[in-house]
Amino acid sequence: MARQASLSGYLELLPQERLAELHLLDTLRGIFESHGYGSLETRAVETVETLLQKGEIDKEIYTVSRIHDDGAKDARLALRFDNTVPFARYVTENAGHLAFPYRRYQIQKVWRGERPQAGRFREFTQADIDIVGDGALPPRADVEIAVVMASALEALQIGDFTMRINSRKLSEGFYRAIGIEQTAEVLRAVDKLEKIGPARVEQEIMETAGATSEQAQQALALAQIRTPDVSFVEQVRALLPDQTGHELLEEGLAEVTEVIHEMSIRVPGRAVADLSIARGLDYYTGTVFETVLHDHPQLGSICSGGRYESLATKGKRTFPGVGLSIGVTRLLSALFDSGELVASRSVPTAVYVTLRSDDDWGAAQNVADTLRSRGINAEVALSAEKFGKQIKYADKRGIPFVWFTDDDGRHEVKDIRSGDQVQADPASWTPADEDLSPQIIRKTADL
Amino acid sequence: MARQASLSGYLELLPQERLAELHLLDTLRGIFESHGYGSLETRAVETVETLLQKGEIDKEIYTVSRIHDDGAKDARLALRFDNTVPFARYVTENAGHLAFPYRRYQIQKVWRGERPQAGRFREFTQADIDIVGDGALPPRADVEIAVVMASALEALQIGDFTMRINSRKLSEGFYRAIGIEQTAEVLRAVDKLEKIGPARVEQEIMETAGATSEQAQQALALAQIRTPDVSFVEQVRALLPDQTGHELLEEGLAEVTEVIHEMSIRVPGRAVADLSIARGLDYYTGTVFETVLHDHPQLGSICSGGRYESLATKGKRTFPGVGLSIGVTRLLSALFDSGELVASRSVPTAVYVTLRSDDDWGAAQNVADTLRSRGINAEVALSAEKFGKQIKYADKRGIPFVWFTDDDGRHEVKDIRSGDQVQADPASWTPADEDLSPQIIRKTADL
């Protein structure tokens, strides 16, 4: 990771790092599939129109065009900047072929033409899960998504994390209850709380949402509520002069309560009701989520998302959904930089089969095939170099075992970490389970 | 697959198709890793200069630029059109961090702005394996690559296939031996043999390579040699007036002989020496491979590649390599179209846990968690609809089992294919192995 990328903003992993990434992605996939989420991949390109429909990051879009324009009237294309907008487009287009509610995970690269800086990439992997319904989707979907993602983050063993949860319904309902109508402007201001501080947020609320100083202070007071349990409800009620008739607020309170309550049972210690959470993207309409990694607060949110009621629509038909997305590359990059994540080898190989002479290649492949058929990854030397050189080959890659066969067909296998060498039969010799695949070593505080 | 893609040339799979694709890709990955090949991913974008250095498909390149050019002097970027050129660039850039010979697999999307037509895509997945050496790479690497890829294609169970093998050294050496110097022109003409027929190839050889009619006919005679064993050597020698001093030819004969010989032992019946194989890309220098699927000859080559001596260079340092690449999307698309490849479900779920009432969700998740901890993918209903509707939900997705828990906490599981319903304990009930994951059903002629 100390290497300089040849294109600024584009991270390319070394073989050992890639093995660690693959382990993380396999872990995510395993958890997602165990909960019934199926894989989806959408095309890398979208029409510019699709991408500009939602969201506010138009400046960062990469457009795509053929190097030799032959005058064909192709649609104007651009690379996707997240997985949610393409997913919504896919759902709308294929609604007739999908069974709803539809659960899917999508682990793909996305591209943003951001100014590159530490931890900001122009190409990065996002791992998303979403549930979408046809016409309606029960609030329980929000609970499920949060529990599945928290379970996935726990399985990654990347250290303690907190999911911070709010609802746009709660915030907007509250703003309306205290007499502010321009709720989007307040959300936008509150979203900057950590960046610019309460005084400037108050100022901005007054200026952009036409709020009084008292209203702005109440909005700020709401944003300061943060509880690890459902006591946030009482705190919200304490701020409100009049408790009745605020339907949107009540919906938001009930939905966040259900998420916090169920998470406290299924993934204890991972959820906090944090009423400052707003999320920048315009399409969220209900619960919103951010996730902080305790050992890496500088990363900001490593996993975000929320409920969107009308991102996917087809005429009068709507497909409400809820989803969460992990910024994998950013997370990986931090774990590599801190030395927390290391693979024990640079290759998948468990056994390196040496050659006594170049003519032994076929026999060596027979040994390797026998091992492979038993689930043991084996590589055969390309040429019969000196044994010392062949052992060094394995050592350099972190391959734990080297296999020797003598002229009489007797086999021995050497553990090059301990130096122990024993007689072995390729049909029965078995390494320790943890030596079968590269070990992913983590050095987080809580392990 | 009968659906119309919303962007011409861009295939997006339905959930069930994606499960089949994933199964194929997992199978490839398993075989590649079992032989010691590690995963690599390179960035989607290359500089236009890198892409134009090699190959001849410049017309098809997609360029990439930021929608709002802010005047930054960014390099001119384009999407990769294969995995080989980016791999060579990666090897050159990271040579100091890699251990050679370096074996890697790379399963990634590539993009070509081709005119879309049946089976031709603008975005498609290629699955590559390559071995590269530092300065030198023994011919045995070519043998290994061919054996690994043939094993991988066998593991896919997509029906009978033949790998057609030649060497540029053999062809060029032969052309020189009969007095033709402009060998590239002859290769280019011979490459069109199947398309335009021998008469026009002969004509083209005479016109572009300045050959006599006799020379052109000899070149054509070479291209007609096709043997499933090493007898091609004799046939080549029979064409040659003078047997001595043709070093390049001898190298080529020896290298193809070794590949054919070892393949006949390790993957019998899969290799044919076919001296008409030329491969269009300029960077090949030795063995070249194409692969035909017997049931789908219209696909052309589903897996191609070869030896490249100087694709990757760094000053005077060269990294010779050999690789093979499967055109996954084209292959998949044909298997879907013919109905040969079908997944038994559209979701990874094995058990659908029903709800008696909405309050049972936590208890149902407990059942599901117990199943998940035992490797059984389980999904919980989002709301307590009528049981008939919940069973229909599972049936529609091909989920084989539905779980019921009564008010007294007694569990029953129903196989919705047979209708059998039995008492079950989530801590011990186990479905048949083949019901754990979606079954991938193939209906090829030879299964």
Side-chain angles (χ1 to χ4, degrees):
Chain A
M1 295 294 296
R3 292 164 303 126
Q4 182 78 34
S6 58
L7 264 186
S8 176
Y10 290 86
L11 179 67
E12 291 189 309
L13 302 182
L14 289 175
Q16 199 146 353
E17 295 166 338
R18 171 62 182 159
L19 283 173
E21 179 183 52
L22 211 48
H23 178 84
L24 255 65
L25 297 180
D26 285 344
T27 304
L28 292 177
R29 176 182 166 186
I31 297 285
F32 298 158
E33 292 184 349
S34 79
H35 287 262
Y37 291 69
S39 174
L40 173 71
E41 290 198 344
T42 60
R43 49 177 153 80
V45 299
E46 296 289 333
T47 64
V48 171
E49 288 62 39
T50 300
L51 294 184
L52 293 182
Q53 257 169 4
K54 303 281 171 180
E56 43 189 51
I57 59 166
D58 49 320
K59 272 180 237 159
E60 302 168 354
I61 293 180
Y62 276 117
T63 58
V64 165
S65 47
R66 288 199 287 158
I67 202 166
H68 292 288
D69 188 350
D70 56 5
K73 284 270 175 293
D74 290 339
R76 199 161 161 234
L77 302 180
L79 297 175
R80 64 172 167 258
F81 59 77
D82 73 0
N83 288 326
T84 309
V85 172
F87 175 57
R89 193 259 316 146
Y90 174 91
V91 165
T92 308
E93 280 179 11
N94 295 289
H97 303 273
L98 300 173
F100 295 96
Y102 170 41
R103 293 169 170 90
R104 78 89 178 79
Y105 70 91
Q106 189 168 350
I107 301 177
Q108 287 194 285
K109 302 266 168 63
V110 305
W111 295 268
R112 295 186 191 173
E114 298 194 63
R115 199 164 292 280
Q117 44 180 301
R120 289 269 169 204
F121 300 100
R122 292 183 152 188
E123 173 181 71
F124 53 98
T125 299
Q126 289 203 326
D128 287 42
I129 50 173
D130 286 82
I131 314 179
V132 283
D134 183 358
L137 185 70
R140 186 147 272 157
D142 303 39
V143 181
E144 182 186 304
I145 279 281
V147 168
V148 173
M149 194 52 109
S151 306
L153 290 171
E154 285 185 348
L156 292 185
Q157 297 181 272
I158 49 174
D160 270 340
F161 62 89
T162 301
M163 288 182 70
R164 301 156 70 188
I165 299 154
N166 189 16
S167 167
R168 288 236 171 138
K169 290 183 187 171
L170 197 166
S171 301
E172 290 183 28
F174 182 87
Y175 304 152
R176 292 218 181 114
I178 61 171
I180 305 177
E181 285 307 311
Q182 287 166 277
T183 58
E185 284 73 11
V186 187
L187 278 174
R188 212 164 293 141
V190 168
D191 200 28
K192 300 177 192 162
L193 191 54
E194 283 192 8
K195 259 192 210 157
I196 63 175
R200 286 179 56 196
V201 170
E202 185 186 335
Q203 194 67 29
E204 189 173 321
I205 294 173
M206 290 165 65
E207 282 166 12
T208 63
T212 65
S213 167
E214 196 194 358
Q215 284 171 325
Q217 280 173 26
Q218 274 191 293
L220 267 175
L222 184 78
Q224 262 133 24
I225 294 175
R226 192 174 295 204
T227 69
D229 50 32
V230 298
S231 63
F232 69 95
V233 179
E234 286 164 47
Q235 294 189 33
V236 174
R237 297 206 191 285
L239 288 179
L240 265 193
D242 176 6
Q243 304 276 336
T244 57
H246 311 307
E247 211 176 301
L248 193 66
L249 171 60
E250 290 304 322
E251 269 183 42
L253 286 169
E255 287 170 14
V256 177
T257 296
E258 194 182 348
V259 173
I260 297 285
H261 173 69
E262 292 291 352
M263 287 187 76
S264 74
I265 296 170
R266 312 210 71 81
V267 279
R270 300 307 187 183
V272 162
D274 182 334
L275 309 193
S276 70
I277 301 300
R279 300 300 304 147
L281 292 170
D282 283 331
Y283 50 69
Y284 293 119
T285 52
T287 45
V288 281
F289 302 88
E290 294 193 351
T291 311
V292 285
L293 200 55
H294 296 194
D295 293 341
H296 297 276
Q298 86 288 355
L299 282 179
S301 177
I302 59 155
C303 176
S304 313
R307 160 74 77 143
Y308 43 91
E309 220 54 46
S310 51
L311 181 60
T313 57
K314 192 175 190 175
K316 285 185 181 167
R317 200 170 163 195
T318 65
F319 304 93
V322 59
L324 278 166
S325 173
I326 304 179
V328 174
T329 304
R330 222 166 130 60
L331 175 62
L332 262 181
S333 156
L335 296 175
F336 286 141
D337 283 345
S338 66
E340 278 165 89
L341 189 66
V342 181
S344 63
R345 325 174 188 155
S346 64
V347 291
T349 315
V351 180
Y352 186 67
V353 183
T354 62
L355 295 181
R356 282 183 79 78
S357 82
D358 280 333
D359 295 338
D360 289 342
W361 188 83
Q365 283 289 359
N366 288 342
V367 168
D369 274 345
T370 306
L371 293 170
R372 288 171 193 139
S373 72
R374 297 172 50 238
I376 303 164
N377 296 342
E379 192 178 314
V380 173
L382 286 175
S383 47
E385 296 178 299
K386 286 181 183 158
F387 279 135
K389 225 173 157 186
Q390 295 189 55
I391 293 171
K392 204 176 148 196
Y393 176 102
D395 198 34
K396 201 171 174 186
R397 288 159 178 78
I399 301 172
F401 299 100
V402 181
W403 195 278
F404 304 96
T405 307
D406 72 14
D407 285 342
D408 300 321
R410 273 189 302 256
H411 303 289
E412 294 202 346
V413 63
K414 183 192 188 84
D415 183 327
I416 56 174
R417 297 159 302 186
S418 65
D420 293 345
Q421 186 163 336
V422 296
Q423 290 205 352
D425 178 348
S428 61
W429 174 84
T430 305
D433 265 4
E434 64 265 26
D435 288 336
L436 280 174
S437 309
Q439 285 289 97
I440 307 303
I441 303 151
R442 288 181 207 78
K443 303 171 191 158
T444 53
D446 63 335
L447 281 182
Chain B
M1 295 294 296
R3 292 164 301 126
Q4 182 77 35
S6 58
L7 263 187
S8 177
Y10 290 87
L11 179 67
E12 291 188 309
L13 302 182
L14 289 175
Q16 198 147 352
E17 296 166 338
R18 171 63 181 159
L19 283 174
E21 178 183 52
L22 211 48
H23 178 83
L24 256 64
L25 297 179
D26 285 344
T27 303
L28 292 177
R29 175 182 166 186
I31 296 286
F32 298 158
E33 291 184 350
S34 78
H35 287 262
Y37 290 69
S39 174
L40 173 71
E41 291 198 343
T42 60
R43 48 177 154 79
V45 298
E46 297 288 336
T47 63
V48 170
E49 287 62 40
T50 299
L51 295 184
L52 293 183
Q53 256 168 5
K54 302 282 171 181
E56 44 189 49
I57 59 166
D58 49 319
K59 273 180 236 157
E60 302 169 353
I61 292 180
Y62 276 116
T63 57
V64 165
S65 47
R66 287 200 287 157
I67 201 165
H68 291 288
D69 189 349
D70 56 6
K73 284 272 174 291
D74 290 339
R76 199 161 161 234
L77 302 180
L79 298 175
R80 63 171 168 258
F81 59 77
D82 73 1
N83 289 325
T84 308
V85 172
F87 175 57
R89 193 259 315 145
Y90 174 89
V91 165
T92 308
E93 280 179 10
N94 295 289
H97 303 274
L98 299 172
F100 295 97
Y102 169 40
R103 293 170 169 89
R104 78 89 178 79
Y105 69 91
Q106 189 169 349
I107 302 178
Q108 288 195 284
K109 302 264 168 64
V110 304
W111 296 269
R112 295 187 192 174
E114 298 194 64
R115 197 165 293 280
Q117 43 180 301
R120 289 269 169 204
F121 299 100
R122 293 184 151 188
E123 174 181 71
F124 53 98
T125 299
Q126 289 203 324
D128 286 42
I129 50 173
D130 285 82
I131 314 179
V132 283
D134 183 358
L137 185 71
R140 186 147 272 157
D142 304 39
V143 181
E144 181 185 305
I145 279 281
V147 168
V148 173
M149 194 52 108
S151 307
L153 290 171
E154 285 185 348
L156 292 185
Q157 296 182 271
I158 50 174
D160 271 340
F161 62 90
T162 302
M163 288 182 69
R164 301 156 70 187
I165 300 153
N166 188 15
S167 167
R168 288 235 172 139
K169 291 182 187 171
L170 196 165
S171 301
E172 289 183 28
F174 181 87
Y175 303 152
R176 292 217 180 113
I178 60 171
I180 305 178
E181 284 307 312
Q182 289 168 274
T183 58
E185 284 72 12
V186 186
L187 278 173
R188 211 164 294 141
V190 167
D191 200 29
K192 300 177 192 162
L193 191 54
E194 283 193 7
K195 257 191 210 157
I196 64 175
R200 288 180 55 195
V201 169
E202 185 187 336
Q203 194 66 29
E204 188 172 322
I205 293 173
M206 291 166 64
E207 282 167 11
T208 63
T212 64
S213 166
E214 197 196 354
Q215 284 172 324
Q217 280 172 25
Q218 273 192 290
L220 267 174
L222 184 78
Q224 262 133 25
I225 294 175
R226 190 175 296 203
T227 69
D229 49 32
V230 299
S231 62
F232 69 95
V233 178
E234 286 165 45
Q235 294 190 32
V236 174
R237 297 208 190 283
L239 289 178
L240 264 193
D242 176 5
Q243 303 276 334
T244 56
H246 312 307
E247 212 176 299
L248 193 65
L249 172 60
E250 291 304 324
E251 268 183 41
L253 287 169
E255 288 170 14
V256 176
T257 297
E258 193 182 348
V259 173
I260 297 285
H261 173 68
E262 293 290 353
M263 286 186 76
S264 74
I265 296 169
R266 312 209 72 79
V267 280
R270 301 306 189 184
V272 162
D274 182 333
L275 309 194
S276 71
I277 302 300
R279 300 301 304 148
L281 291 171
D282 282 330
Y283 49 71
Y284 294 120
T285 51
T287 45
V288 281
F289 302 88
E290 293 193 351
T291 310
V292 286
L293 199 55
H294 295 194
D295 294 341
H296 296 276
Q298 85 290 355
L299 283 179
S301 177
I302 59 155
C303 176
S304 312
R307 159 75 75 143
Y308 44 91
E309 220 54 46
S310 51
L311 181 60
T313 57
K314 193 175 188 176
K316 285 184 182 166
R317 199 171 165 194
T318 65
F319 304 94
V322 59
L324 277 166
S325 174
I326 304 179
V328 174
T329 304
R330 222 166 129 61
L331 175 61
L332 261 181
S333 157
L335 296 175
F336 287 141
D337 283 345
S338 67
E340 277 165 88
L341 189 67
V342 181
S344 63
R345 325 174 187 155
S346 64
V347 291
T349 314
V351 179
Y352 186 67
V353 183
T354 62
L355 294 181
R356 283 184 79 78
S357 81
D358 280 334
D359 295 338
D360 288 342
W361 188 82
Q365 282 290 358
N366 288 342
V367 169
D369 273 345
T370 305
L371 294 170
R372 288 171 194 138
S373 71
R374 298 172 48 239
I376 302 165
N377 296 341
E379 193 178 312
V380 174
L382 285 175
S383 46
E385 297 177 300
K386 284 181 185 159
F387 279 134
K389 224 174 158 186
Q390 295 189 55
I391 293 171
K392 204 176 148 197
Y393 176 102
D395 197 33
K396 199 171 175 186
R397 288 159 179 78
I399 301 172
F401 298 101
V402 181
W403 195 278
F404 304 95
T405 307
D406 72 14
D407 285 342
D408 300 323
R410 274 188 301 257
H411 303 289
E412 293 201 346
V413 64
K414 183 193 188 84
D415 183 327
I416 56 175
R417 296 160 301 185
S418 65
D420 293 345
Q421 186 162 335
V422 296
Q423 289 205 353
D425 177 348
S428 60
W429 174 84
T430 304
D433 265 4
E434 65 264 26
D435 288 336
L436 279 174
S437 310
Q439 286 288 98
I440 308 302
I441 302 152
R442 290 182 206 74
K443 303 171 191 155
T444 54
D446 63 336
L447 281 183

